[in-house]
Amino acid sequence: MRRLVACSITVVAATTAWVVGTQPALAYPPTPPSASTAQTQLNSLTVKAEGTTTGYSRDKFPHWRTVSGTCDTRDEVLKRDGTGVTVDSDCEPTAGKWYSVYDRVYITDDSAIDIDHIVPLAEAWKSGASTWTTARRQQFANDLTIAQLIAVSASSNRSKGDRDPGSWKPTNTSVHCIYAREWIWVKYTYGLSLQSTEKTALQQMLNAC
């Protein structure tokens, strides 16, 4: 459990995808492919009826795994996506500032931060991950090499839940283009399927790029 301390959250305005005014955004997952490449990837994905969550458990996607020393995947994302982040001997942040791109807020308390799986674990399960090995699901749940993990406000992440873009998009509309590119990149990388409403929503976001 993270320490429960008073959090400081300030609403800000964002003008472009990962940029706030003239300042660089504070979240830096790996940059997804361009919109044109994302379009090609989207066109190649299998569209079919979504599976069920029968048999699903978050425990079947082991996370967070140790990355280095006392730092696990969550810790690494907090360090990567924040600015001025310092940690103690247990890799727990002692200071830092994070910008939640989903809802345009700055956060200075890591207990108010969630690490979001761009493609949620349950969504992956219904899209093909139910047939994977545990090792493959662990890789998916901890993948830092693509834009699958991002530090966002706990409130925005819990609003999203396990929903795909057909039923949930960030309230910050300026990030819809990059969010779609990230989502497609993850599904393409792992060979996951799409349902028709999900593809339609992704196409609409790509069209706005």
Side-chain angles (χ1 to χ4, degrees):
M1 296 293 292
R2 300 289 173 183
R3 296 180 301 278
L4 296 179
V5 294
C7 65
S8 173
I9 303 178
T10 305
V11 177
V12 298
T15 58
T16 58
W18 302 121
V19 178
V20 184
T22 58
Q23 299 300 314
L26 303 181
Y28 289 104
T31 302
S34 67
S36 61
T37 299
Q39 183 67 67
T40 300
Q41 293 176 345
L42 178 62
N43 293 342
S44 74
L45 294 176
T46 298
V47 178
K48 65 179 185 179
E50 193 168 67
T52 70
T53 54
T54 300
Y56 168 73
S57 167
R58 287 179 66 84
D59 293 339
K60 293 184 177 180
F61 293 79
H63 63 289
W64 306 107
R65 67 183 176 191
T66 300
V67 175
S68 177
T70 60
C71 297
D72 62 20
T73 310
R74 182 184 194 278
D75 299 323
E76 290 298 319
V77 176
L78 285 172
K79 291 192 295 180
R80 182 197 70 189
D81 289 2
T83 186
V85 179
T86 59
V87 298
D88 61 21
S89 59
D90 294 322
C91 212
E92 292 284 346
T94 55
K97 188 176 187 179
W98 296 266
Y99 176 64
S100 174
V101 296
Y102 288 176
D103 48 359
R104 303 181 179 188
V105 297
Y106 278 114
I107 301 171
T108 57
D109 169 20
D110 73 293
S111 71
I113 288 283
D114 277 357
I115 305 306
D116 179 45
H117 289 91
I118 297 291
V119 174
L121 305 183
E123 166 65 23
W125 179 269
K126 294 182 291 184
S127 304
S130 61
T131 65
W132 293 351
T133 63
T134 299
R136 181 67 165 167
R137 289 194 288 263
Q138 182 182 50
Q139 178 186 10
F140 178 84
N142 296 275
D143 198 338
L144 294 170
T145 66
I146 60 174
Q148 165 62 342
L149 298 169
I150 186 171
V152 295
S153 69
S155 59
S156 67
N157 185 48
R158 292 165 199 183
S159 170
K160 173 182 175 179
D162 295 326
R163 292 186 286 171
D164 69 40
S167 57
W168 187 91
K169 301 177 183 68
T171 57
N172 179 10
T173 58
S174 69
V175 303
H176 283 185
C177 170
I178 196 167
Y179 184 75
R181 288 158 52 203
E182 290 171 336
W183 184 283
I184 294 165
W185 191 20
V186 175
K187 287 225 160 174
Y188 178 81
T189 299
Y190 282 90
L192 295 170
S193 63
L194 298 166
Q195 58 178 325
S196 59
T197 55
E198 175 187 354
K199 182 174 183 178
T200 297
L202 289 166
Q203 186 63 66
Q204 289 171 343
M205 288 192 283
L206 277 185
N207 290 345
C209 287

